[in-house]
Amino acid sequence: MKKTVVITGASSGIGKITAQYFLEKGWNVAATMRNPQNEKELKESDTLKLIKLDVENTDTIQSAVNETIKNFGKIDVWVNNAGYGAKGPTEAGTRAQIQRQYDVNFFGVIDCIKAIVPHFRVNKSGVIINISSIGGLLTIPMYAVYNSSKFAVEGLTEGLYYELGIFGIKVKLVEPGGIKTDFQGRSEDTWGIEKFPEYAAFVSNLDSKYHSEAFRKNLGNPIDVAKTIYSAATDGTDRLRYLVGKDAKQFWFIRRWFGYKVQMSILKKYLGIKSL
């Protein structure tokens, strides 16, 4: 019997490529997104269904669970991939902008988990994979609020590892580094600093670094993330964390073995950040 995976945020980037990869591996795939009627590349079939799911709307989350079970009979793996990155000095973010970052990246994950766990608990099995980031283990300049939302996902997932493990449910984290997707386009919310000109030089310097050819050439391939998600879904282990990408592994190695001061010093030097 084919296994079934539900992937949130499957309209682009890592989510879409992961949906395609699971499909190639012979799985049933529920590719969920806010506007499935607009999807052009993923084509519905007996094994692929496009399903509406907006992580800010709990009704659509439960409907997606019900529709997937109706189509495929059972859900085996749930991938919480939907999310975006807020970028800019924290001081420049409005209360609404900061709240939405958490509504999507954190509370949306909780709502999806609360919707799928009853199904997994009855089956005494299931895998939940939360897509975090190297930015959930250490902070990248100008992404403080985004990073903090991923730090929250890290803590939540580690706690769920214990809570849900008693029911035979595996909970896992995939932590990509910089990946060649449209994250810095459609998946990013850049905050204006018109009211905070003191940050102008800081923002300009980092923008030039983040968009430079030298920086982008070191970004990882999204297919590597899809393969890691598939491995986490199928390896049968209780492993919690899966780092993806050379940069993620290097920076985490430095932080883990040499301490946060060394890692932060290296990052400041690399990005040309100077303190008064």
Side-chain angles (χ1 to χ4, degrees):
M1 182 177 177
K2 285 179 178 288
K3 289 192 172 185
T4 298
V5 61
V6 177
I7 303 167
T8 70
S11 64
S12 65
I14 290 170
K16 176 173 286 187
I17 290 170
T18 301
Q20 293 168 331
Y21 191 76
F22 272 83
L23 196 64
E24 291 169 4
K25 291 293 185 178
W27 283 54
N28 295 319
V29 177
T32 77
M33 55 197 73
R34 285 178 296 175
N35 299 295
Q37 70 278 7
N38 296 336
E39 177 55 40
K40 305 299 182 185
E41 295 177 81
L42 297 175
K43 305 296 183 182
E44 282 203 322
S45 66
D46 290 342
T47 56
L48 174 66
K49 301 300 179 184
L50 303 179
I51 297 176
K52 181 177 180 62
L53 189 158
D54 180 349
V55 297
E56 294 183 271
N57 183 328
T58 55
D59 289 340
T60 68
I61 297 172
Q62 190 59 57
S63 293
V65 172
N66 297 341
E67 188 174 344
T68 302
I69 295 171
K70 181 180 177 181
N71 281 309
F72 300 126
K74 179 187 176 186
I75 299 170
D76 299 282
V77 176
W78 185 285
V79 180
N80 282 312
N81 168 73
Y84 74 98
K87 174 187 173 189
T90 302
E91 191 177 1
T94 66
R95 182 66 171 76
Q97 286 172 319
I98 293 170
Q99 181 67 54
R100 183 167 186 268
Q101 178 73 110
Y102 270 79
D103 285 342
V104 173
N105 287 12
F106 183 65
F107 292 110
V109 170
I110 290 179
D111 287 336
C112 285
I113 288 168
K114 292 178 77 170
I116 190 58
V117 162
H119 179 69
F120 284 171
R121 193 167 53 237
V122 167
N123 294 327
K124 296 183 174 61
S125 68
V127 181
I128 295 170
I129 301 173
N130 293 334
I131 308 305
S132 179
S133 165
I134 185 59
L137 294 171
L138 54 90
T139 302
I140 310 301
M142 219 153 59
Y143 289 94
V145 173
Y146 165 76
N147 289 156
S148 70
S149 74
K150 291 300 186 180
F151 270 57
V153 169
E154 293 273 336
L156 172 70
T157 308
E158 189 168 327
L160 290 170
Y161 177 94
Y162 299 115
E163 293 176 18
L164 301 183
I166 65 174
F167 303 116
I169 302 169
K170 291 180 168 60
V171 185
K172 306 196 171 198
L173 281 160
V174 171
E175 302 153 327
I179 302 295
K180 292 176 183 175
T181 66
D182 56 358
F183 183 82
Q184 290 184 315
R186 64 181 282 176
S187 298
E188 188 170 78
D189 175 23
T190 301
W191 299 341
I193 58 168
E194 294 80 9
K195 296 180 180 179
F196 304 93
E198 298 87 349
Y199 290 102
F202 176 77
V203 170
S204 177
N205 169 60
L206 288 174
D207 275 341
S208 68
K209 291 290 195 304
Y210 291 148
H211 292 95
S212 69
E213 186 61 33
F215 182 86
R216 294 193 61 79
K217 75 177 183 180
N218 291 318
L219 296 178
N221 193 319
I223 190 62
D224 293 331
V225 184
K227 289 178 178 179
T228 301
I229 293 170
Y230 183 80
S231 177
T234 60
D235 65 12
T237 73
D238 61 357
R239 177 178 170 185
L240 175 63
R241 289 185 165 86
Y242 299 74
L243 279 167
V244 190
K246 184 179 178 180
D247 58 343
K249 292 175 182 177
Q250 286 180 336
F251 272 108
W252 183 239
F253 177 86
I254 293 169
R255 189 177 181 101
R256 182 178 180 185
W257 294 106
F258 296 95
Y260 74 92
K261 288 185 179 180
V262 172
Q263 176 265 309
M264 292 181 73
S265 177
I266 291 172
L267 192 57
K268 283 179 67 177
K269 184 176 181 180
Y270 176 70
L271 294 174
I273 298 173
K274 297 179 180 179
S275 301
L276 291 177

